[in-house]
Every structure is written in C-alpha cells, then in structure tokens.
Amino acid sequence: GAVVSQHPSRVICKSGTSVKIECRSLDFQATTMFWYRQFPKQSLMLMATSNEGSKATYEQGVEKDKFLINHASLTLSTLTVTSAHPEDSSFYICSLNPNGRYTEAFFGQGTRLTVV
Amino acid sequence: KNEVEQSPQNLTAQEGEFITINCSYSVGISALHWLQQHPGGGIVSLFMLSSGKKKHGRLIATINIQEKHSSLHITASHPRDSAVYICAVRLLMNYGGSQGNLIFGKGTKLSVKP
C-alpha cells in the first residue's frame, strides 16, 4: 500500500489565489520531507526541505514567501502556493525517507497544479 | 552539464525486446535510485543501489561506482512497462549532500508496442 499520501492530485485555480498541497506519511515518522517541482520535459528539481518543528530550507531561487511550507507533525507537511501565477503551473511532488534513514525514498502521488 | 545524465531520452521497443537504459553521474554518491513515473505523474521506486546488481522480476539494475554508471534492464518487455524511467542520485555529504535529497536525471520515456 501507499506509504506517502499526497493530495490533491490535480488542482486548477485562478491567478492570485492560494493553493495548499498536503503530504502525509502513512507508515513512518518523517522528520524531513522534500518538495520537488517538475516542469514539462524537465527533471524533478528540489524546491525545499521540510523539517518537522522548524523552518524549511529553501533552494536557491525558490521564494520562501511564495511557497510556504509547514511541517507541524512527524507525519504531515504542507506546501502552500500563495498568490499563484500561471508560471507556477507545474507538477509538485513530495518525498520522504522513513525514520530519517537516507536509503529508501518514497514519493507522494504528485499534484498537477494549473493556474489560469 | 547536468550532474545526472540519462540515455536514451526516448525509446520505442517491440513487446518482448530486451531494453537497456543508461545513467551516468559526475558526483560522489551514497546511493542511486531507479524510479518509474507513469503518465499521471506518480513515482514508484524500483531500485536503490549502492553497489553491484539487483533483480526484481523482469527488471535488473546494475551500478559501477568506479565508472559512475548505472544501467536499468528490462527483459521480455511488455506494453505495461511503458513509462518514464528516472535515475536519481543521493549525494555524498562532501559533495553537498545535506539531508538526503535526490538529484534527478531527465528521464527516459519508454514506449513498448504490442
């Protein structure tokens, strides 16, 4: 069964609105979760590392005020795209390493965001 | 130059053919993953390798750490194998690896025709 649950799987929103994406670990405690973004025909790129109980670490070029990450518990991280613009349309996916082990990797189902 | 390079970018095969997808990387790694991404976008981890060879059903993955190269093989390919196959590496700490995030290749789009 699924280890990581991510939803919604698809969302269409209007420019200027905010969208929240949830990533939930079903079987493991995850002190760290990763948020990736994939543009068409491009590689998955790390946006930010979500740390339980502390601030997220953002990659260069990713606006922390635009992509709000909250990791309030060991099983849930959320990514909120604020004031969405059409250029934010992309595929967003979360990943985690169970119990802090840096070997296995499990992925959510991904969220296809379309901003119109 | 990307740190993870995959080839080919696109691959079309007839059902039953033996398929090889290659991955080369230019950084020090602690592990290499082969992932499968279906049209809907969801990603499934196929293998995690740090050395040698692993086999699961019709899938075989090999890695040569000295040559910084890995291959994914599919024997007796089937249309249901059609997907994008992605190679991803986990960096060693002294290469900037921090908390376990992955660096991804661009993927190989495989289409197996009946």
Side-chain angles (χ1 to χ4, degrees), chain A residues 15 24 27 38-39 47-48 52 63 82 93 100 104:
Chain A
S15 288
R24 193 176 297 273
D27 292 333
Q38 184 180 37
F39 290 109
M47 295 177 65
E52 187 267 335
E63 298 175 56
T82 63
I93 194 164
E104 303 162 86

Side-chain angles (χ1 to χ4, degrees), chain B residues 2-18:
Chain B
N2 293 332
E3 292 160 310
V4 181
E5 296 276 3
Q6 280 185 242
S7 63
Q9 222 173 336
N10 293 283
L11 181 56
T12 301
Q14 285 299 127
E15 183 173 357
E17 285 185 2
F18 180 83

Side-chain angles (χ1 to χ4, degrees), chain B:
Chain B
K1 185 180 185 301
N2 293 332
E3 292 160 310
V4 181
E5 296 276 3
Q6 280 185 242
S7 63
Q9 222 173 336
N10 293 283
L11 181 56
T12 301
Q14 285 299 127
E15 183 173 357
E17 285 185 2
F18 180 83
I19 288 161
T20 296
I21 300 170
N22 296 298
C23 176
S24 296
Y25 52 93
S26 57
V27 291
I29 68 169
S30 59
L32 182 144
H33 295 255
W34 280 103
L35 311 167
Q36 183 188 55
Q37 185 174 29
H38 281 281
I43 293 176
V44 174
S45 178
L46 299 175
F47 294 104
M48 192 281 296
L49 294 162
S50 53
S51 65
K53 175 180 175 178
K54 287 190 177 180
K55 184 176 189 293
H56 185 251
R58 294 181 294 106
L59 301 178
I60 303 167
T62 63
I63 188 168
N64 185 317
I65 297 294
Q66 286 73 30
E67 294 185 5
K68 297 190 173 181
H69 181 269
S70 176
S71 293
L72 176 68
H73 306 286
I74 305 176
T75 61
S77 59
H78 190 276
R80 64 174 174 266
D81 296 327
S82 299
V84 176
Y85 292 84
I86 302 171
C87 170
V89 300
R90 195 182 305 284
L91 297 182
L92 282 171
M93 293 296 287
N94 57 342
Y95 273 86
S98 55
Q99 301 183 70
N101 61 285
L102 299 174
I103 296 177
F104 296 82
K106 287 189 176 181
T108 295
K109 186 175 182 180
L110 171 65
S111 178
V112 182
K113 306 292 185 188

